[in-house]
Amino acid sequence: MNPTFRQLKIFESVARHLNYTKAAKSLYLSQPAVSMQIKLLEEQTTLPLLERIGKKLYLTAAGEEMYRYARNTIQQKKDVEEIIEQLNDLQKGHLNIAVASTANHFVIRLLAAFEKLYPQISISLDVTNRSELLKQLDNNERDLVIMGQPPENLQLNAIDFLENPLVVIAAINHPLAMQKKQITLEQLSHEHFIVREEGSGTRIASEKFFKNHQIPFNTTMDISNNRAIKHAVEEDMGLAIVSLHTLEIELRAKSLKVLNVEDFPILRQWYVVENKHKRLSPIAQTFKQFLLQRADQAIGNLRTNN
Ligand code: PGA
């Protein structure tokens, strides 16, 4: 016995409706064409699959078995088609993400590693600060967002995937950069800081740290860009608190010093976040898995001691 897929589809429809006319209609076939295929199928099985008692059509025991087999085969074909469609989407999918300004310093490396695995995808990347990211999530504008821990009261799914240590930096020739002993928080309270703009996650975390330790946080200038903050610190305009992830070039060039301060680094985490109501595309789901499993490896380790 070797029924064709077409025969199974026709039989499944007849068995479901227990009616030739309805089955023929749902398959856009004529009733004689349907009856003919059922007859051929019965000839192959050498057993009747349907029986008519009075005006009603019933499945025989062999018919019940064939019905189960037909349904499974149809479902399996659908499953395979779905998987192939998803794989096709994945190959040429579009990834639409936004990241915190600070995450910009490592996200390109992550995207480069991801793109090597899926060379045909295209990517839109928006780089902005925390408050803007929260707005974009609320409006369901992005597949995924990479940011510091989002507030818990919002309709978001957030999973941490990477540490984000915040450190104090100073100019190479700053007196605190020369100090051998660990710097106390009391000493910091006499220093001036250059900070990020309102709405920045780094700024919120820094303010919280000083508040929790009950020491003054003297800020002299705010700048909306990590790179400009680092230049200002190199020019000895003040100290700053930045993510270690923003410092790779400066640490290698030894143009800035990470200070050894008590209770530092402030240990934060990077989160991959999506709106709870978002149905992630296959490419977005794959990128999320990539972040959770491979981010550490793709970024490599940054050193704090320079
Ligand atoms: P920021 O991002 O660039 O807004 O400071 C960091 C964060 O969200 O923690």
Side-chain angles (χ1 to χ4, degrees):
M1 180 188 82
N2 198 6
T4 63
F5 186 72
R6 177 173 145 83
Q7 283 172 338
L8 289 177
K9 242 179 110 178
I10 292 174
F11 176 74
E12 188 277 334
S13 185
V14 174
R16 186 157 33 91
H17 291 107
L18 289 173
N19 184 309
Y20 282 93
T21 316
K22 281 188 188 159
K25 222 170 155 188
S26 76
L27 294 166
Y28 303 103
L29 293 172
S30 68
Q31 193 186 321
V34 170
S35 306
M36 169 64 79
Q37 290 303 324
I38 298 293
K39 202 163 154 257
L40 286 174
L41 195 58
E42 285 182 323
E43 277 171 20
Q44 284 185 48
T45 53
T46 66
L47 285 170
L49 301 171
L50 294 148
E51 60 192 357
R52 192 174 288 283
I53 299 175
K55 282 194 169 168
K56 279 184 108 180
L57 204 56
Y58 294 88
L59 285 173
T60 62
E64 291 283 1
E65 278 309 310
M66 184 60 82
Y67 185 33
R68 195 167 309 128
Y69 173 70
R71 270 187 319 198
N72 283 343
T73 308
I74 291 166
Q75 189 55 47
Q76 274 174 18
K77 184 168 181 274
K78 266 195 202 142
D79 290 347
V80 170
E81 280 168 355
E82 210 166 280
I83 289 168
I84 288 180
E85 198 182 305
Q86 287 195 0
L87 287 171
N88 269 326
D89 280 356
L90 194 61
Q91 291 305 325
K92 37 184 175 46
H94 182 74
L95 185 62
N96 182 11
I97 60 171
V99 303
S101 319
T102 302
N104 181 33
H105 293 262
F106 64 82
V107 93
I108 297 296
R109 198 176 291 173
L110 282 176
L111 288 173
F114 188 65
E115 217 201 7
K116 281 211 174 73
L117 299 174
Y118 302 100
Q120 283 179 35
I121 60 162
S122 58
I123 302 168
S124 296
L125 169 67
D126 186 34
V127 180
T128 185
N129 76 14
R130 176 183 174 87
S131 57
E132 188 54 37
L133 292 172
L134 289 173
K135 261 189 238 155
Q136 294 193 6
L137 281 165
D138 197 34
N139 297 337
N140 208 356
E141 284 172 33
R142 303 281 162 193
D143 292 336
L144 293 168
V145 161
I146 294 176
M147 64 184 296
Q149 184 170 20
E152 270 166 21
N153 56 348
L154 301 181
Q155 293 283 301
L156 303 172
N157 290 328
I159 309 180
D160 58 305
F161 68 95
L162 190 69
E163 277 192 352
N164 177 22
L166 303 188
V167 293
V168 185
I169 52 169
I172 287 292
N173 55 359
H174 189 284
L176 289 181
M178 318 283 180
Q179 181 171 320
K180 291 268 178 292
K181 270 198 351 222
Q182 191 177 52
I183 297 157
T184 63
L185 292 181
E186 213 278 318
Q187 280 182 289
L188 272 201
S189 71
H190 302 296
E191 295 296 326
H192 289 119
F193 283 84
I194 301 158
V195 289
R196 283 278 304 278
E197 78 285 6
E198 293 270 0
S200 142
T202 309
R203 174 158 171 176
I204 294 167
S206 309
E207 287 173 344
K208 201 165 144 205
F209 177 88
F210 279 80
K211 194 163 168 236
N212 288 347
H213 286 79
Q214 298 180 326
I215 45 170
F217 189 31
N218 305 314
T219 61
T220 47
M221 173 157 52
D222 63 80
I223 306 183
S224 62
N225 177 296
N226 285 313
R227 186 166 298 165
I229 289 183
K230 290 183 291 181
H231 280 160
V233 173
E234 280 168 342
E235 294 297 329
D236 207 10
M237 294 178 78
L239 303 184
I241 296 172
V242 295
S243 165
L244 186 60
H245 289 139
T246 66
L247 292 174
E248 199 178 1
I249 295 169
E250 290 76 11
L251 293 188
R252 215 182 299 131
K254 295 191 188 301
S255 63
L256 276 175
K257 179 88 182 173
V258 172
L259 299 183
N260 175 12
V261 183
E262 78 176 287
D263 288 344
F264 271 87
I266 302 173
L267 265 193
R268 306 189 73 219
Q269 303 285 332
W270 289 115
Y271 284 75
V272 55
V273 188
E274 86 243 13
N275 187 305
K276 263 199 177 127
H277 304 295
K278 181 111 207 148
R279 203 161 162 257
L280 286 184
S281 64
I283 191 70
Q285 277 179 36
T286 309
F287 184 62
K288 186 172 167 178
Q289 284 313 316
F290 174 83
L291 289 180
L292 299 181
Q293 288 162 9
R294 305 269 298 275
D296 270 320
Q297 187 192 339
I299 289 170
N301 289 328
L302 286 173
R303 293 172 305 116
T304 39
N305 49 330
N306 60 331

